[in-house]
Amino acid sequence: MPDESNTGPVAAAVAADAEVKAPTAKKERSRPPQKAAAEPAQPKAPAAKPRRYSDQERNDKLRLVETQVSEGNTLKNAIQSAGISEQIHYHSKGAARNSAQKDDKTTEPLPPSDELADLVELEEENQKLRKRLAEKLRGENAELRKRLGLD
């Protein structure tokens, strides 16, 4: 009867793999030769500051783009002819829209005496509305009790 365990050849193969995969020493890489310092190191030029447009310049550029687009020019060409990037155009457009919304919301504040009078009037109206609501709810509650036969 043949041996069913078959552990003999497997154990021999595992031992053979262990011998083959023995750790080897890493090869050291040679460093590349250093360049000769023929030219003296030049100091780097300072980075240019990004261009900041004033509000007037921004509005002028936006108007220029709008007029060119209304004349049939493409938006991309109009932006290029204005001398700005698309990113600056959209950023300026958003900033102009936000400032216009702030201007619309800004109203003259009422004098303190008027504000106080308005506040007192609103509080009185609030009390009246609360009383009306309470009366209405009491009436509905009474009707519901009658329907259910609880009274």
Side-chain angles (χ1 to χ4, degrees):
M1 184 173 212
D3 185 20
E4 293 181 11
S5 65
N6 287 335
T7 57
V10 173
V14 170
D17 284 344
E19 292 174 10
V20 172
K21 293 182 183 177
T24 58
K26 291 185 177 181
K27 295 181 181 178
E28 289 188 31
R29 292 185 178 178
S30 61
R31 295 183 181 233
Q34 291 184 347
K35 294 181 180 178
E39 298 177 21
Q42 295 178 0
K44 291 184 179 180
K49 288 187 176 181
R51 172 81 164 104
R52 303 280 182 199
Y53 293 104
S54 68
D55 290 339
Q56 183 63 36
E57 289 175 319
R58 184 183 319 144
N59 291 335
D60 291 342
K61 301 245 184 214
L62 286 175
R63 271 191 238 112
L64 176 65
V65 169
E66 287 175 10
T67 56
Q68 288 184 0
V69 168
S70 65
E71 292 172 356
N73 222 350
T74 63
L75 179 64
K76 192 169 190 172
N77 290 339
I79 291 171
Q80 285 178 349
S81 67
I84 58 175
S85 68
E86 287 183 41
Q87 184 177 9
I88 290 174
H89 169 71
Y90 288 113
H91 180 74
S92 301
K93 194 174 178 181
R97 188 180 319 120
N98 288 341
S99 66
Q101 286 176 354
K102 286 180 184 176
D103 292 343
D104 291 344
K105 290 180 182 179
T106 306
T107 59
E108 286 187 25
L110 296 173
S113 60
D114 289 342
E115 287 180 6
L116 184 59
D118 288 342
L119 182 61
V120 170
E121 185 180 327
L122 287 173
E123 287 180 1
E124 290 172 359
E125 185 180 354
N126 193 8
Q127 289 298 325
K128 289 177 187 176
L129 291 172
R130 285 180 185 214
K131 286 179 183 178
R132 284 177 49 190
L133 179 63
E135 290 171 4
K136 187 174 184 178
L137 290 175
R138 275 191 222 115
E140 289 177 3
N141 195 7
E143 288 180 29
L144 184 61
R145 285 178 168 266
K146 287 179 184 177
R147 283 188 213 160
L148 295 175
L150 298 175
D151 281 338

